[in-house]
Amino acid sequence: MRGGITDLRSKDGVNAMGAKQKLLEVRHLQTQFRTEHGLVKSVDDVSFRIDAGEVLGIVGESGCGKSVTSYSIMGLIEAPGEVAGGEIWLEDRELTKLSRKQLRKIQGKEMAMIFQEPLTSLNPLLTVGLQISEVLSRHKKLSKREVKEQSIEMLRQVGIPRPEKIYHSFPHELSGGMRQRVMIAIALSCGPKLLIADEPTTALDVTIQAQILKLMKELRDNLNTSIMLITHDLGVVAEMADRVIVMYAGQIVEEGNVYDIYRTPKHPYTKGLMNSTPKLHDDKNTLESIPGTVPPLSNMPSGCRFHPRCPLAHDQCAKEAPALEKLKSGAQVRCWLHQEGEVDLHEEFKRRRTAIGG
Ligand code: SF4
């Protein structure tokens, strides 16, 4: 099939030595906002990479810096916000050094983003067809007829029934699930190497959610698209991600492969997130919420930013901030308990309860 998702670019994401190719590398990213409460660091020294064809899940509660990280990568931070430090590399280009014009050439073509609420990113005054066509004509040398054909083909490929009709529809005439598919079709129309999906299924019902996730998986499998999946839904991450980053209060607190994070979370915050997520085979339905809320970024607690909510906090935690440490397993964690190596959080919790006679 010509011009569809499976025909947009090569699947090759592996170099001649068989190693995964790095697609995106974020180094020491700092993004801040000037507010009436002073300077607020929404993203504070965040570093990570995504390989070609990899799905990286970024999880954490609202206000932890997940979306600001993705907006920084896409070059969408506007005043009073700014990327104040660090580097963002897409292959061999450093994005923070590019002009707006240079960045616009990359946006949509090499990296694209889908948002939680498609209505905010779709233009209500333009038909669906015109919105896909606009992206295609901006980045590809195609005749008018080819642009129209490819737009309809993209709608078909994201599972939209009767795409020739929907091509002429306005966003408000479509259901939430259909709008989300249209936004995905627009995002994928030029076969981006990197797709950033910010809570892509939160506003959708379970059936549509499953269809959208399946669609994203197909993209990765067929096109080797790298996906940065931002969500607070750990179930979605378990289904999709290869690796997971857990963010809290503007920083990475844990990073590891998806199996290890689920089996043996290392950071008490990650464990708290796990305990507050429903599990398929948990007959007792023992959900526990994390006490308290994410601190306002304008008023960070001293020491470890999680200490006011942490069941394992000890004296040192309120005084000194732990660094993000690499463990032998390759995982990274920001917690004093792990500075000497890996600790079983469950055992540690039991030990402390016993020590205080709890
Ligand atoms: Fe909890 Fe202390 Fe670890 Fe922070 S450093 S997560 S407060 S145990």
Side-chain angles (χ1 to χ4, degrees):
M1 189 178 305
R2 280 203 76 244
I5 289 173
T6 51
D7 196 31
L8 292 167
R9 60 182 171 78
S10 132
K11 291 185 194 177
D12 189 17
V14 176
N15 68 19
M17 306 291 287
K20 282 268 185 188
Q21 286 172 5
K22 180 168 61 188
L23 177 73
L24 178 85
E25 183 167 18
V26 174
R27 297 181 191 156
H28 307 291
L29 179 67
Q30 302 261 5
T31 305
Q32 60 190 29
F33 291 82
R34 286 171 209 285
T35 72
E36 57 188 21
H37 304 293
L39 204 59
V40 165
K41 285 187 184 171
S42 298
V43 174
D44 191 4
D45 196 16
V46 162
S47 301
F48 61 90
R49 64 179 268 172
I50 304 180
D51 290 327
E54 186 178 38
V55 179
L56 176 74
I58 302 197
V59 299
E61 294 159 288
S62 298
C64 283
K66 313 183 298 285
S67 293
V68 178
T69 301
S70 60
Y71 277 63
S72 306
I73 294 168
M74 287 297 294
L76 298 175
I77 299 290
E78 303 274 353
E82 60 174 341
V83 172
E87 297 171 359
I88 301 167
W89 289 86
L90 185 70
E91 295 179 324
D92 56 354
R93 283 147 305 166
E94 213 281 77
L95 302 186
T96 67
K97 298 276 188 298
L98 300 185
S99 66
R100 273 188 178 262
K101 197 174 163 203
Q102 289 170 318
L103 206 52
R104 243 177 96 74
K105 278 194 184 155
I106 293 176
Q107 289 164 343
K109 186 163 186 246
E110 295 187 51
M111 55 181 191
M113 186 161 175
I114 52 179
F115 303 86
Q116 178 177 349
E117 183 31 82
L119 269 188
T120 55
S121 53
L122 293 175
N123 187 333
L125 302 175
L126 297 181
T127 61
V128 159
L130 275 178
Q131 297 189 55
I132 304 186
S133 303
E134 199 270 323
V135 179
L136 280 170
S137 351
R138 187 173 358 131
H139 295 299
K140 288 184 163 187
K141 286 190 177 65
L142 296 171
S143 68
K144 262 190 168 178
R145 190 175 55 80
E146 286 171 326
V147 166
K148 185 171 180 190
E149 279 172 9
Q150 280 209 16
S151 301
I152 291 173
E153 183 54 37
M154 284 309 299
L155 292 173
R156 193 189 319 279
Q157 293 239 345
V158 297
I160 286 182
R162 292 172 293 121
E164 293 84 0
K165 182 167 181 287
I166 299 298
Y167 179 87
H168 297 287
S169 304
F170 288 91
H172 73 268
E173 296 174 311
L174 307 176
S175 67
M178 290 276 262
R179 283 197 291 262
Q180 192 68 303
R181 281 165 188 261
V182 168
M183 193 167 52
I184 294 179
I186 293 173
L188 300 174
S189 53
C190 290
K193 296 171 181 169
L194 174 67
L195 176 68
I196 299 181
D198 189 355
E199 304 277 6
T201 56
T202 305
L204 305 175
D205 70 46
V206 183
T207 319
I208 306 291
Q209 185 178 49
Q211 288 172 6
I212 300 280
L213 293 180
K214 183 166 171 277
L215 181 64
M216 286 170 53
K217 269 189 203 156
E218 283 170 7
L219 277 170
R220 192 272 283 274
D221 296 344
N222 294 337
L223 260 190
N224 211 37
T225 303
S226 305
I227 301 175
M228 181 170 149
L229 178 65
I230 295 163
T231 180
H232 65 273
D233 186 335
L234 291 171
V236 169
V237 168
E239 219 173 293
M240 293 281 298
D242 303 306
R243 228 160 21 93
V244 181
I245 279 176
V246 183
M247 286 189 75
Y248 186 76
Q251 296 180 321
I252 293 175
V253 294
E254 181 162 358
E255 193 233 309
N257 80 53
V258 69
Y259 300 106
D260 291 345
I261 292 248
Y262 273 79
R263 237 188 348 236
T264 50
K266 315 264 179 315
H267 196 282
Y269 178 59
T270 314
K271 190 160 173 55
L273 288 178
M274 297 294 168
N275 290 346
S276 58
T277 302
K279 292 172 194 69
L280 261 185
H281 304 294
D282 182 7
D283 299 337
K284 292 187 220 137
N285 219 358
T286 46
L287 288 186
E288 294 165 30
S289 59
I290 306 172
T293 52
V294 178
L297 293 166
S298 54
N299 190 17
M300 277 301 163
S302 60
C304 169
R305 295 179 179 184
F306 187 56
H307 88 259
R309 305 174 74 188
C310 181
L312 295 173
H314 46 284
D315 287 350
Q316 187 185 20
C317 300
K319 293 182 196 141
E320 291 174 77
L324 190 63
E325 289 285 334
K326 197 161 201 151
L327 304 177
K328 273 192 199 132
S329 61
Q332 299 196 85
V333 62
R334 188 188 295 278
C335 172
W336 285 120
L337 290 175
H338 295 278
Q339 300 294 300
E340 305 295 325
E342 219 166 287
V343 169
D344 182 327
L345 287 189
H346 189 64
E347 288 304 316
E348 182 66 16
F349 192 68
K350 275 201 317 205
R351 193 179 68 72
R352 283 176 192 234
R353 288 289 289 263
T354 313
I356 59 170

